[in-house]
Amino acid sequence: MPRSPRKSTSSTSLPSGGLRVTPLGGLGEVGRNMTVFEYEGKLLIVDCGVLFPEEHQPGIDVILPDFTSLQGRWDDVVGIVLTHGHEDHIGGVPYLLKERPDIPLIGSQLTLAFISAKLTEHKISPTTIHVEAEDKHQAGPFELEFVAVNHSIPDGLAVAIRTPAGLILHTGDFKMDQFPLDGRITDLRHFARLGEEGVDLFLTDSTNAEVPGFTISERDLTPAIDQVFATAPKRIIVSSFASHVHRIQQVLDSAHAAGRKVAFVGRSMVKNMGIARELEYLKIPRGLVVDFKKLQSMPDNKITLICTGSQGEPMAALSRMASGTHQIKLSADDTVLMASSLIPGNENAIYGIINKFTDLGVKVVHKGNAKVHVSGHASAGELVYCYNIVKPTHVMPVHGESKHLHANAELAVKTGVDPKRVLVVKDGTTVDLVNGQAKVSGQVEAGLVYVDGHTVGKVTEETLKERTLLQEGGAITIVALVDPDSNQLAEPLEFVTKGFIQDKQIFHAAAEKVKTALGKIAGQDIDDLDELEKLITDTVGRHLERNYRRSPLITTVVVDA
Ligand SMILES: [Zn+2]
């Protein structure tokens, strides 16, 4: 069968019998996890998630992995393994399936249920292959074997990938809670069996590699959550990710014990908890969860609301409650319980919400003042255990910013992995496993792909820079009527401003600078108006920066007189 042309930016060609690993997201950032495995012209993808924007990326909904290196190769893809149902592992799938909707999605029951519900919204009906821990599945030339892992969402899987090139083990996101709420622990015995067979390349979750010791058990949060329910005088509003089934189970149990009723608020929360309940990942005592409308007629001290927005997302229920634009109006003596992590980059938004609630007299319980959150990722102690059990030949840290990847690499080396065989790479770097040796082989495109409303990949770094300038400094449009022979102004410059102070004195001085600059090129042959526009923009920009410490977005329009 003819093969589609291999397209890669600068990677060397993959030797026959070799396996290539290309991370397209998640290495150098926390989010948009995606890794591509290539063997004998076929591709297997593990996860395809989104990254959430930070403050310097205004107007962006989510950020996707870069699919450029896969263009022209979609027919070679034999499947997408989804390790678990978090957005940073499945959120990019709808965009990927727009390229080829029938790529099989391989995952556990809850993961497939979450992604299928999401795809229905995008009007895509996926091809799914349901696997469980211990299952084997052949996807093209890749023999897959699934291992149970414990994480902050149920039904997580690590995946072992066998080809004649070697055995790879990818942990997905995981931790080693020894007393998990659902009793499903990370299967270290299975890790050990794979280790005995010989793991050539071990891809491990780096998120918490810098955190010493062991991640505490989810069960250890019960007293603090119970305390909130035992003492809150009025309504309790709990915010969490819409996928944190374990944490929500704990909240439901505490609410039930305290004799309260619960309603889920917000589309994604209602949808996901409906799925989790139907599949029995969420155990809800009869009569505990009621419709939001019914709950409103009950006394305040019987009410619990569970909503999204724990990361300060401006459109989510919690931040709209804080700013008073949500139908649920909070008041003094209500309690907000933020039962989830604080993703780096979201701090300002979250503290802003906490302050707004505090001003309303609402008590806010969060991970900063009570033990109401525990991470979903393995800390250094757990990672070291894994290295000692698996005894991999090569290690490639995944999932994390640079500092997390390096911390994880150090742990591998500490357990005796040869430092030359620990590959700390970033998104787009290709690693080839050939004759039992893993080496960096090149680089493919792996830029940030921005989703802005219905547009994908149209917003560029330049657009974001302009948006930030607009936000911070406003905008100035300069209209210059210029004599084409002399390059000198035929009329005084016109300044139109938005969000920048309209001060005659400032602009008079700026106009003088422009006159001087144009004086220096008087009579020169300039055929490109862009050049004149740039000269004027730069002159005014420098003047405002030097004298007023302001950097508005400046646009100049030159018109020949
Ligand atoms: Zn996760």
Side-chain angles (χ1 to χ4, degrees):
M1 221 171 73
R3 285 229 305 256
S4 333
R6 176 171 289 133
K7 185 173 174 184
S8 53
T9 319
S10 68
S11 279
T12 51
S13 65
L14 176 62
S16 174
L19 179 135
R20 174 162 293 170
V21 186
T22 310
L24 290 180
L27 275 68
E29 66 228 334
V30 176
R32 64 167 199 151
N33 298 293
M34 177 170 177
T35 313
V36 182
F37 297 86
E38 174 171 4
Y39 183 76
E40 296 297 332
K42 296 293 179 194
L43 304 173
L44 174 79
I45 296 171
V46 174
D47 290 332
C48 181
V50 292
L51 172 69
F52 293 101
E54 294 183 17
E55 273 173 291
H56 64 274
Q57 293 157 329
I60 299 301
D61 301 324
V62 291
I63 304 166
L64 298 176
D66 189 338
F67 303 149
T68 307
S69 61
L70 295 171
Q71 295 307 336
R73 302 216 49 196
W74 292 112
D75 287 342
D76 296 333
V77 180
V78 297
I80 306 172
V81 171
L82 299 172
T83 57
H84 62 285
H86 277 153
E87 280 297 298
D88 55 340
H89 291 256
I90 65 168
V93 171
Y95 302 92
L96 193 151
L97 289 192
K98 291 211 168 93
E99 302 287 343
R100 201 193 115 198
D102 64 343
I103 301 175
L105 305 179
I106 306 161
S108 62
Q109 187 182 38
L110 184 66
T111 310
L112 289 180
F114 277 179
I115 187 62
S116 297
K118 181 182 283 292
L119 286 167
T120 305
E121 286 174 20
H122 288 258
K123 300 190 172 48
I124 299 174
S125 48
T127 307
T128 56
I129 297 170
H130 172 195
V131 292
E132 294 292 332
E134 304 285 335
D135 282 357
K136 284 187 181 176
H137 174 75
Q138 189 74 35
F142 306 94
E143 188 194 86
L144 309 176
E145 183 174 325
F146 297 92
V147 185
V149 289
N150 166 249
H151 185 37
S152 45
I153 185 170
D155 236 6
L157 291 171
V159 58
I161 304 166
R162 247 185 231 100
T163 65
L167 173 60
I168 294 179
L169 178 57
H170 189 318
T171 63
D173 279 353
F174 84 110
K175 62 175 172 178
M176 282 163 42
D177 189 343
Q178 297 300 298
F179 307 102
L181 295 168
D182 61 0
R184 186 176 177 272
I185 57 172
T186 292
D187 192 351
L188 293 179
R189 289 153 58 99
H190 199 161
F191 272 16
R193 288 202 299 276
L194 293 165
E196 286 294 329
E197 180 183 335
V199 171
D200 296 287
L201 182 60
F202 191 27
L203 282 72
T204 46
D205 177 9
S206 310
T207 315
N208 267 2
E210 285 187 309
V211 180
F214 292 77
T215 303
I216 62 164
S217 174
E218 298 270 346
R219 267 180 218 279
D220 293 348
L221 306 182
T222 307
I225 294 174
D226 278 348
Q227 175 74 9
V228 171
F229 279 86
T231 55
K234 289 192 175 172
R235 292 177 294 184
I236 299 176
I237 296 87
V238 182
S239 71
S240 166
F241 286 115
S243 55
H244 271 196
V245 180
H246 290 321
R247 192 66 41 79
I248 290 164
Q249 181 72 61
Q250 283 178 301
V251 169
L252 292 173
D253 293 345
S254 294
H256 186 55
R260 284 183 182 248
K261 299 287 179 192
V262 179
F264 295 114
V265 179
R267 202 171 49 93
S268 57
M269 186 61 85
V270 171
K271 184 182 71 180
N272 279 359
M273 290 310 120
I275 292 170
R277 179 183 201 172
E278 202 170 300
L279 298 176
E280 296 181 8
Y281 290 93
L282 203 59
K283 312 243 178 330
I284 304 181
R286 190 189 287 259
L288 173 64
V289 171
V290 297
D291 189 67
F292 170 59
K293 287 199 186 78
K294 196 172 161 201
L295 195 71
Q296 280 172 309
S297 59
M298 292 183 181
D300 279 352
N301 65 1
K302 294 286 171 211
I303 294 180
T304 312
L305 299 163
I306 302 181
C307 66
T308 57
S310 55
Q311 296 305 309
E313 308 92 307
M315 293 316 290
L318 193 71
S319 74
R320 288 188 287 130
M321 284 181 206
S323 48
T325 54
H326 196 277
Q327 55 167 321
I328 299 167
K329 309 283 179 214
L330 298 199
S331 51
D333 294 332
D334 283 336
T335 302
V336 167
L337 168 59
M338 300 173 90
S340 56
S341 63
L342 200 170
I343 295 177
N346 297 339
E347 293 91 344
N348 288 347
I350 294 170
Y351 294 140
I353 286 181
I354 293 176
N355 282 325
K356 279 185 194 160
F357 279 134
T358 309
D359 287 342
L360 290 171
V362 172
K363 184 177 179 196
V364 185
V365 182
H366 54 95
K367 64 175 277 198
N369 61 15
K371 212 155 104 183
V372 290
H373 171 69
V374 52
S375 169
H377 302 269
S379 298
E382 288 145 272
L383 291 169
V384 169
Y385 257 87
C386 285
Y387 288 128
N388 281 332
I389 288 169
V390 174
K391 288 279 173 216
T393 315
H394 298 87
V395 169
M396 182 173 157
V398 294
H399 307 168
E401 296 173 7
S402 287
K403 57 180 188 160
H404 306 127
L405 303 177
H406 281 277
N408 196 358
E410 272 177 37
L411 297 173
V413 171
K414 258 194 200 164
T415 65
V417 183
D418 180 348
K420 291 198 282 297
R421 291 171 180 242
V422 178
L423 301 135
V424 180
V425 300
K426 293 281 196 64
D427 292 341
T429 305
T430 59
V431 169
D432 291 355
L433 180 63
V434 182
N435 297 327
Q437 292 284 326
K439 286 203 177 80
V440 169
S441 56
Q443 183 75 29
V444 301
E445 272 183 58
L448 298 172
V449 176
Y450 298 106
V451 178
D452 179 350
H454 289 297
T455 74
V456 179
K458 299 248 170 22
V459 169
T460 61
E461 293 296 332
E462 194 57 30
T463 323
L464 291 181
K465 214 169 108 193
E466 287 172 6
R467 284 183 185 176
T468 308
L469 285 176
L470 273 172
Q471 239 181 357
E472 289 171 359
I476 300 174
T477 307
I478 305 168
V479 183
L481 203 62
V482 173
D483 179 279
D485 298 322
S486 67
N487 300 327
Q488 303 305 294
L489 294 174
E491 281 187 22
L493 286 179
E494 197 184 322
F495 293 89
V496 183
T497 65
K498 286 266 183 265
F500 188 90
I501 40 166
Q502 183 55 278
D503 183 320
K504 279 205 181 90
Q505 217 179 342
I506 292 177
F507 292 123
H508 178 73
E512 288 302 312
K513 299 271 185 204
V514 172
K515 265 191 212 162
T516 312
L518 290 176
K520 289 181 187 157
I521 55 161
Q524 281 180 23
D525 215 5
I526 293 174
D527 357 288
D528 196 350
L529 287 186
D530 288 353
E531 256 181 73
L532 283 179
E533 286 172 353
K534 184 170 184 316
L535 178 77
I536 296 172
T537 299
D538 290 351
T539 307
V540 174
R542 257 196 315 275
H543 175 71
L544 297 177
E545 171 68 41
R546 269 191 205 148
N547 297 290
Y548 302 96
R549 299 249 166 269
R550 284 287 162 272
S551 311
L553 180 71
I554 303 171
T555 315
T556 302
V557 184
V558 169
V559 185
D560 278 340

